[in-house]
Amino acid sequence: MEASVRWDGLSELLEEFSKAQYRAKDVSARVERIEKRCLELFSKDYRFSIIQNANGELCSHYPRQIVFLEYESAPEDKNMYESTVQVSKLQDLVNRSKMARCRGRFVCPVILYKGKHICRSATLAGWGELYGRTGYNYIFSGGSDDAWADTEAAEEDAAARNGDSQLFDKVRGHDIKLLRYLSVRYICDLMVENKKVKFGLNVTSSEKVDKAQRYSDFTLLSVPYPGCEFFKDYKDRGYSAEGLVFNWKQDYVDAPLYIPVSLTRCLNIDWREYQRWDLVKQTQNYLKLLIHILNGDEHSGLLVHCISGWDRTPLFISLLRLSLWADGVVHSNLEPAEILYLTVAYDWFLFGHMLNDRLSKGEEVFFFCFNFLKHITSEEFSSSGRKTRRKSSQPRESALTLEDFCLLKRKDRGSANSLSSDFSVITEDSPGSYGNFNCEPVDLMSFGNQGQAIWKKTHASSPQSVFWNRAQSSAEDRPLQPAVIEAKSSSSSSSNHSDHFLRPGSSPLEVPQRRLPTITERESRLEAVQSTFLAAYNTTIGLKSVSPSPSGAIGGLLEQFARGVGLRGASTIV
């Protein structure tokens, strides 16, 4: 792996990210390194230009150097998907349109997929924000997603009665010109409100309720998704998203689900049930919808936004980037640690996600994003649309439980300094419990590097055979073959563990073996990213914020590790 995105670089990024929100006008030497690395990673696959935002003149919480991807740098792709956008014209449109959206967070292209721009922004600014007499304090206000400066505001329809709707015509007209210049046709609005209300006043608007119907030429999708506050419930439930359903009956929730029928016919999703979906199903179905939209139109781009555009928006932008990367259709030259670094740094940190504030409130939408990757590994989320692309010839072992981990001999699981190079953790749900085993101390912080090494080794030897498991020898050379350890009831948990090992010739009957599924390249890629993230997160953020376990220091550390990588036990991350 190149030095520009070493393991310590990812840790440095997370440490900086967790300290304070990024501000374009206040950049340290460490942040400059992060910015530079992002440009290096983009340059591996794309020819791009820079939209200058040196001191936050365009937007205080957008990158100082906003990357505009023009085309893929590979010669065979250039002629097929070359951009027709002129950067000077784009910069001018951005300058004119920035007032149209909340906090000045204008429509910004961030992903290039087959020549189409995937963009992000905040929602439309309301009357109070446009006419604030105290300057743009709203840009610098901290706090939650709906934190606003306490300025005088009025209803948008009052502006129309006073003859001031011309201001909306002007600023939203520039916004529409920018969208059209970027060939954006689809606007995906994640707000659960039609308008954001603060102190009884409408402080933001949205395209779906624009009274003048200025956005009628666009395909508008209202796909309400819970805000960052909901992810406090996610954390409080032991980081379990399964079974966690948003309360759609709250007073402020008034945005309906609206998707044109033409975009839903081929998805086999019952959208009438959306209020019954748990967080996993809702996120999966929305991602399927976005990918379907991108694949269904050869020429048009997509805009995704919530209110401020720094919680729900980066969640779906990141999932889109990582899902398309796993299919090999964007950032094809980046390895797992590199795409992870780029996504964390660019999609989250440099676009102003307030990680420190969210962590202090337990609103772990950032963690949810990367831990959620295990739920989109199947081919049904693939941009190729194929469901059975299983090219790996190597089998996958069953998930390793924490009990198995504790029963491994020291030489099998590694020294006190690192995990064995022959060992890797399968991040899948497995039955078991923990806290009652006497385990020798092991260094749990090296897993990210180990995972990267294994991914690189197998990827280099066979691009379609990347997998996560213990190194295998041939059947003929294996004197001791572990069978799959099934979940045991309490009455049989004391059985001799030697029963699980079968020596050649020890039985006159053939012992049936469970058929192990192969693994797709998409699955292995996403698992590599998730595993690397969990290991880095635990070393920089997770272990600092988790209270000690009553089971003791070693047991507590193992418990935290098990929870961090998704090993199933008494408490799990699902």
Side-chain angles (χ1 to χ4, degrees), residues 210-223:
D210 179 67
K211 293 186 176 181
Q213 296 185 340
R214 300 174 183 89
Y215 293 84
S216 59
D217 289 339
F218 298 89
T219 302
L220 305 180
L221 297 89
S222 175
V223 283

Side-chain angles (χ1 to χ4, degrees), residues 66-103:
I66 300 171
V67 174
F68 174 68
L69 301 176
E70 298 184 35
Y71 54 81
E72 293 181 73
S73 55
E76 62 272 18
D77 293 329
K78 178 178 177 180
N79 294 329
M80 187 181 300
Y81 300 124
E82 186 169 0
S83 174
T84 58
V85 172
Q86 298 178 6
V87 178
S88 58
K89 175 69 172 179
L90 180 62
Q91 180 100 32
D92 179 65
L93 286 171
V94 164
N95 275 306
R96 293 175 182 271
S97 67
K98 63 183 180 181
M99 292 288 295
R101 294 193 174 263
C102 166
R103 305 179 190 270

Side-chain angles (χ1 to χ4, degrees), residues 190-226:
L190 297 167
M191 294 171 60
V192 298
E193 311 94 337
N194 284 321
K195 297 182 179 182
K196 185 64 182 179
V197 177
K198 190 72 172 179
F199 307 120
L201 300 173
N202 294 329
V203 291
T204 74
S205 185
S206 63
E207 300 90 351
K208 60 182 179 283
V209 292
D210 179 67
K211 293 186 176 181
Q213 296 185 340
R214 300 174 183 89
Y215 293 84
S216 59
D217 289 339
F218 298 89
T219 302
L220 305 180
L221 297 89
S222 175
V223 283
Y225 189 85

